[in-house]
Amino acid sequence: MAVSAWRSVGCAGLALLALAVPAAAPLAREWRTVRIATEGAYPPFNFTDADNQLRGFEVDLGKALCARMKVECVFVQEDWDNLIRGLRRDRFDAIMASMEITDERRERIAFSRRYYRTPPVFMIRTDSDVAGVSPEALKGRRLGAMADTVYATYLQDLYGADSTVRLYANQDEASLDLALGRLDAVLGDRIALSVWLKRGREASCCRFLAEPPFDPAYFGEGYGVGLRKKDDDLRQMFDDAIASIQADGVYDEIRARYFDFDVK
């Protein structure tokens, strides 16, 4: 056999051998330390205390997740506008800064499963006879929400045909009209409304009635840990840890320090 022919057959054989032997899978990273970025300016979720230490629901939750993942947890403070950029440039490994899971953000980063959501809730006057939150139960009622929010859209789409929907420049204006008897109910973010109810004079005016059925099409998917797309192993670790602490009660112990209602 000519040398050139032998080389051709030999190269072809090597090529077939390469196809037959699967490429070695990239080695999974052994995570020992996870650097978590947060803003530190959004209480009670993340903030700095008098000693300039990071505190808050997300900081406590992050520490519990790291303990469950058996890794060292290092929190770093970062301006909101730099969070995604810093993650992608490997300045830290994860974001826990009340970053909502959206399709737009998914184009740049990955997300863990949801670790909290802000429940929508209907608030009514303390002396109200409203008994339910379905469109039928609120038929003919005057309903309020902050304009240009998911709550406004929800009321307009599901209640607007049979109820009067009034929109306000901010949530406080809607809540005040409820207190003054100009509305029968308002729909808003339960966390924000809880703060409003604790301000003093208005606290006795109103009460929560119930949450509407949670619909991600209106209220979003919630808030997750932001991660680099390449770190799928770390995403799975966070997913497993979130599920674990929610199942055994650790999550609720942390949540109760900040909220008297479920945010899962």
Side-chain angles (χ1 to χ4, degrees), residues 1 6 17 32 36 47 74-75 79 93 98 103 116 121 136 151 166 178 183 205 207 212 219 233 240 247-248 253-254:
M1 179 183 292
W6 183 89
L17 182 61
R32 296 182 178 178
I36 302 177
F47 59 93
V74 178
F75 271 89
D79 291 341
D93 307 305
S98 293
D103 290 338
Y116 91 86
V121 68
E136 294 77 17
Y151 312 108
R166 298 176 181 170
L178 175 67
L183 292 174
C205 80
R207 61 184 173 89
F219 304 119
D233 53 345
D240 293 345
D248 67 9
E253 290 177 10
I254 296 171

Side-chain angles (χ1 to χ4, degrees), residues 66-138:
C66 287
R68 195 58 52 96
M69 295 188 293
K70 295 182 170 55
V71 298
E72 182 184 356
C73 192
V74 178
F75 271 89
V76 296
Q77 188 171 0
E78 183 60 81
D79 291 341
W80 174 264
D81 291 341
N82 295 329
L83 285 170
I84 291 180
R85 184 184 305 112
L87 176 69
R88 287 162 58 94
R89 293 180 178 177
D90 296 336
R91 290 174 52 193
F92 34 82
D93 307 305
I95 299 170
M96 291 187 70
S98 293
M99 185 166 284
E100 188 172 9
I101 303 168
T102 66
D103 290 338
E104 181 179 2
R105 290 193 177 112
R106 277 198 179 105
E107 293 178 1
R108 303 180 65 193
I109 63 174
F111 282 97
S112 72
R113 64 185 291 166
R114 180 179 77 208
Y115 64 82
Y116 91 86
R117 67 182 178 94
T118 53
V121 68
F122 279 96
M123 185 169 69
I124 60 175
R125 287 180 54 82
T126 305
D127 58 1
S128 174
D129 63 350
V130 174
V133 299
S134 67
E136 294 77 17
L138 292 171

Side-chain angles (χ1 to χ4, degrees), residues 181-245:
R182 297 169 182 163
L183 292 174
D184 297 301
V186 298
L187 177 65
D189 173 276
R190 182 160 187 161
I191 295 174
L193 290 176
S194 295
V195 173
W196 185 83
L197 281 177
K198 295 174 182 177
R199 288 181 181 170
R201 187 176 63 179
E202 296 94 350
S204 62
C205 80
C206 308
R207 61 184 173 89
F208 292 136
L209 176 59
E211 296 179 12
F214 189 77
D215 186 344
Y218 285 97
F219 304 119
E221 298 181 52
Y223 301 83
V225 182
L227 300 153
R228 288 181 291 268
K229 290 185 176 183
K230 67 181 181 181
D231 293 334
D232 194 59
D233 53 345
L234 184 57
R235 180 198 58 76
Q236 188 61 57
M237 288 168 61
F238 269 106
D239 280 354
D240 293 345
I242 292 167
S244 177
I245 66 171

Side-chain angles (χ1 to χ4, degrees), residues 1 4-21:
M1 179 183 292
S4 59
W6 183 89
R7 286 176 177 170
S8 297
V9 172
C11 290
L14 290 174
L16 290 173
L17 182 61
L19 291 173
V21 178

